[in-house]
Amino acid sequence: MKILVCISHVPDTTSKINFTDGDTKFDTNGVQFVINPNDEFGLTRAMWFKEKQGASVDVVNVGGPETEPTLRKALAIGADSAIRVNTAATDGYAVAQQLATVVKDGQYDLVIAGRESIDYNGGMVPGMLAALTGASFVTNCVSLEVDGSNATAVREIDGGKETIATSLPLVIGGQKGLVEESDLRIPNMRGIMMARQKPLKVLEPINTSDATAAKSFEKPAPKGAVTLVDADNLDELISLLHNEAKVI
Amino acid sequence: MSVLVYTESDKGQLKKISFEVASYAKAVADLMNTTVTAVAINAQNVESLGNYGVSKVLNITNDAIKNFNVNTHASILEQAVKQENATVVILSSSADSRYLAPVLAVKLEAGYVSNVVEKPSNISPFTVKRTAFTNKAFSQTEINNGHKIIGVSNNSYGLVENTTTAQVEAFSPNIEDSGITVTSVDKASNQVSIADAEVVVSGGRGLKGPENWGLIEDLAEVLGAATACSKPVSDLGWRPHSEHVGQTGKPVASNLYIAIGISGAIQHLAGINASKVKVVINTDPEAPFFKAADYGIVGDAFEIVPKLTEKLKEFKAQNA
Ligand SMILES: Cc1cc2nc3c(=O)[nH]c(=O)nc-3n(C[C@H](O)[C@H](O)[C@H](O)COP(=O)(O)OP(=O)(O)OC[C@H]3O[C@@H](n4cnc5c(N)ncnc54)[C@H](O)[C@@H]3O)c2cc1C
């Protein structure tokens, strides 16, 4: 089985979010970048398929040279080789089109992406990629088993879960649950050394046009101070929630 | 040239989010000088969509569409778009709508924008405000393509009544074989989901262990609320992963979010910040949650929560 894991290069969850260039660009100054958490769960599941079912695992990112340390980290965790499509990821549809070319050329059986990236939260790349390549698609995927060309996936739905029977080729949008938090791997020294020797191929992009464009950004208005209620005066809290906030 | 809105139902009852997306669609239709057509699948009382500005309902009744199926549903919407000659499709931020939208976008070669929180500020170029960086920012996003799909954030636009008479038309799209089979659905029937809940009661590591979750459940029960938890609580196995809320868990956009024994880490707050009113109960007055909350009580959850539950019971009995 040939697996491709899509890796989004995102600001660490603790990052301060600021904008530059007249609020048109994310300010990367002092920001630490990591593998998108949803993708990391997927990569870890891919490692399981590699170790238990002999799958090969490539990772891919659509982005500039600054994303390479993130791809190297994925290699250090255990991916066999990496691909970077050399173009800025500014629109989900365009990214999906770049990835579709990689998937078709590489004839991947299984593509594991994250349900969404934690920076722009578009939540569209995996579904678009599936539709562009004619693969089956399961998002919010919290469990995945593959047996030959058959796959069984569990999808989180509002208020529960559903089990889906489908077949390869398949694209999933993964998230926590695909593996446990405790299964996530921190690259060790040997992994980091080996990653330096592993191939990282840079591909030039195909021509695409952006379906959407983020024109400007703003931060939410600062919040007013909290209203503190005394622990012995719960009637006041109820009254505030009823009369002032009108939520009960 | 109408605006098409995808409505969702549960056991035949239209969901509240369906009326919210209908309200939103009406606002878009007004800007475009056109009308709203809704697609409803195996739902009852679809005329009620008229109360929120829908003038036509494409009503599908078909036992073969028992479960949501991404390919089937995307194909149904594609057929509806073609028939109505629609250029804009509005849907919600439910798990199903988020699953469907990107697949539909490719079928229509549409620009898709998710997490939209306001009606378009402009329709030429078509510009909408969405959240980004998990609620830490907003972005004004333009859609370049002819077809546009807008995923409205739940509970962001609200219900706007707009009495219209909805003309109900039977619609029988082709149902394609989808390559995906839902073999089982596991859904607690008597519980509100975090996505649909008006009120969410959430517990953190401050509750010390799973044996204490009765506190959370009792409070949630009086409020008709969904229960949720912080990430470590689900990592420790005290509660199921499906209750984990925050940046790497489920998003919450309820009217009221009550955080009990939760410190208010940045990743937690990012995921719940879209909730309208936040209440925190925490022993530590320095807990960061107090900076994000509207109302707060400094104190011990084990003493406060049972009392609050009792008082709310009395309140609910009086205001019933
Ligand atoms: C990449 C990444 C992603 C993450 N994503 C998420 C996410 O999606 N969601 C999430 O929740 N976290 C997330 N986290 C974890 C986050 O950083 C915090 O560790 C977590 O939210 C803390 O959970 P907590 O508030 O339950 O526990 P703690 O931080 O341990 O807080 C417990 C609180 O309970 C209070 N307390 C103790 N006893 C009592 C009592 N008797 N009564 C009242 N209060 C009491 C304490 O004062 C304390 O404030 C993420 C972290 C990382 C690194």
Side-chain angles (χ1 to χ4, degrees), chain B residues 3 23-34 36 88 90 119-120 123 126 128 150 157:
Chain B
V3 170
S23 305
Y24 186 95
K26 174 64 176 160
V28 177
D30 284 348
L31 289 170
M32 297 174 64
N33 284 318
T34 180
V36 179
V88 180
I90 311 291
K119 73 173 179 185
I123 55 161
F126 204 99
V128 284
I150 296 178
Y157 189 72

Side-chain angles (χ1 to χ4, degrees), chain A residues 11-17 19 26 37-38 41 91 93 115-132 135-140 152 155-167 175-177 179-181 209-221 223-232 234-235 237-238 240-242 244-245 247-248, chain B residues 15 67-68 70 93-96 98-99 102-103 105-107 109-115 129-145 179-188 193 195-196 199 223 231 234-235 241-242 244 246-251 255-256 266-267 277-280 290-299 304 307-308 311-312 315-316 319:
Chain A
D12 169 52
T13 54
T14 56
S15 305
K16 292 266 176 292
I17 304 299
F19 301 97
F26 174 61
N38 291 315
F41 290 113
D91 168 59
Y93 206 153
R115 123 193 129 181
E116 67 172 28
S117 66
I118 62 161
D119 50 1
Y120 296 97
N121 315 107
M124 66 182 85
V125 170
M128 287 175 166
L129 177 57
L132 288 167
S136 300
F137 172 50
V138 178
T139 197
N140 289 19
T152 307
R155 174 174 82 105
E156 217 173 63
I157 56 178
D158 293 335
K161 286 174 187 177
E162 66 180 25
T163 306
I164 291 174
T166 186
S167 55
Q175 63 178 58
K176 179 176 159 190
V179 298
E180 292 299 317
E181 185 81 16
S209 55
D210 285 356
T212 64
K215 289 287 169 184
S216 65
F217 296 93
E218 67 192 88
K219 297 218 274 180
K223 238 196 75 49
V226 61
T227 303
L228 286 180
V229 176
D230 198 279
D232 296 324
L234 297 176
D235 290 322
L237 179 68
I238 292 172
L240 286 167
L241 292 177
H242 182 61
E244 186 178 87
V247 286
I248 58 170
Chain B
K15 290 173 122 190
N67 290 314
F68 176 86
V70 67
S93 291
S94 69
D96 290 349
R98 285 178 189 276
Y99 189 13
V103 175
V106 169
K107 286 177 182 281
E109 292 189 26
Y112 163 48
V113 181
S114 57
N115 302 326
K129 182 173 175 177
R130 69 183 298 267
T131 59
F133 297 93
T134 324
N135 291 311
K136 289 178 207 158
F138 296 104
S139 111
Q140 292 286 345
T141 298
E142 278 180 21
I143 308 181
N144 303 324
N145 293 22
I180 278 184
T181 313
V182 176
T183 53
S184 69
V185 179
D186 173 12
K187 203 167 164 178
S193 71
D196 294 323
V199 181
L223 291 167
K231 175 171 175 283
S234 76
D235 289 342
H241 288 320
S242 55
H244 161 195
Q247 190 161 15
T248 52
K250 283 203 170 67
N255 283 333
L256 174 60
I266 187 166
Q267 301 93 349
V277 174
K278 284 148 267 185
V279 174
V280 56
F290 284 100
K291 294 214 169 62
D294 301 280
Y295 303 100
I297 300 180
V298 178
I304 296 168
K307 280 192 215 151
L308 182 62
K311 289 204 181 275
L312 278 167
F315 168 83
K316 288 277 174 179
N319 288 268

Side-chain angles (χ1 to χ4, degrees), chain A residues 12-13 37, chain B residues 203-208 229-233 244-249 260-268 281-284 287 299-302:
Chain A
D12 169 52
T13 54
Chain B
R205 199 149 49 179
L207 286 166
K208 313 278 191 279
C229 68
S230 67
K231 175 171 175 283
V233 166
H244 161 195
V245 297
Q247 190 161 15
T248 52
I260 302 169
I262 298 177
S263 57
I266 187 166
Q267 301 93 349
H268 185 88
I281 300 173
N282 196 308
T283 39
D284 175 10
D300 184 348
F302 294 97

